[in-house]
Amino acid sequence: MYGNGNDPIAQNSNFTLLSILSKEKLTGPNYMDWIRNMKMSLRYENKWYVIKRTLAEIGETTATPDEITFYNKHHDDATKVACVMVATMEPELHKFYEDYGPYEMCLDLAKMFHKKVIQEHYEVLISLISCKLKEGDSLCAHVQRMQRYVERLEKLKVSFDKELAIDIVLKSLPSNYDQFILTYHLSNTETTLIQLHNLLQTAESVMKKNHVSSTSSALVMSIR
């Protein structure tokens, strides 16, 4: 109904901003980026409305001239937008959605991919805040695992404050790191997760060489 074999981006000069979309095909996992770019482009072209509501049929004999004019415009815009949408999908998705209208396409894509993104966001966040360093576990592996969770949340476009990520890592440490945590907060220095990892490795090395009760001064030195 809407699809065709031509390149709509190349043929429709009015869709100048939509040329950005052809650089990254919709594969599924990149749905959030794809739909964000699509929204921005369609708003710029004043065609965003076609994916917000379906094309309503009108009576051939009862429709007013204004209704006919709007219907024809909606139909033309929806056809162009649908062509652009399927042209910016990987081949399998392209084949599946080539006869969909833009409104129906967006509803189906949201069901298929957006819920998966939300579920993954929840699962990764729970995994991150559930991390606890246990006695005998590798500190290096522990921090690296938490860092991967943070990086995954960032890829999912979750707004994640750097200081919050560091606080979650510090919260995951056992009580023998309390002095390190206190000294770290008192130092009032900006730190990345990688830098924190290095500081913790230094502190761990000091703690292994000294008895826990005498590590206070050594932990202070490890942060400076």
Side-chain angles (χ1 to χ4, degrees), residues 24 52 71 79 92 96 101 154 161-162 197:
E24 183 178 4
K52 296 294 289 182
Y71 175 87
T79 300
E92 288 303 313
F96 184 82
E154 290 173 346
D161 185 84
K162 179 182 66 175
H197 187 187

Side-chain angles (χ1 to χ4, degrees), residues 4 10 29 45 49 55 72 77 84 105 108 147 165 169 183 192-193:
N4 59 52
E45 299 291 346
Y49 74 98
L55 178 62
N72 289 336
D77 287 346
V84 170
M105 204 183 308
D108 201 66
Q147 189 171 353
V169 172
T183 310
T192 65
L193 271 178

Side-chain angles (χ1 to χ4, degrees), residues 19-59:
S19 62
I20 298 172
L21 297 172
S22 64
K23 296 178 182 179
E24 183 178 4
K25 302 287 186 180
L26 174 64
T27 61
N30 65 340
Y31 167 76
M32 297 300 289
D33 289 334
W34 180 84
I35 194 64
R36 186 179 296 108
N37 287 336
M38 184 65 68
K39 288 178 180 179
M40 176 184 68
S41 302
L42 294 181
R43 284 187 179 124
Y44 181 81
E45 299 291 346
N46 294 319
K47 290 177 172 58
W48 172 239
Y49 74 98
V50 301
I51 69 173
K52 296 294 289 182
R53 59 178 180 268
T54 189
L55 178 62
E57 296 295 332
I58 58 173

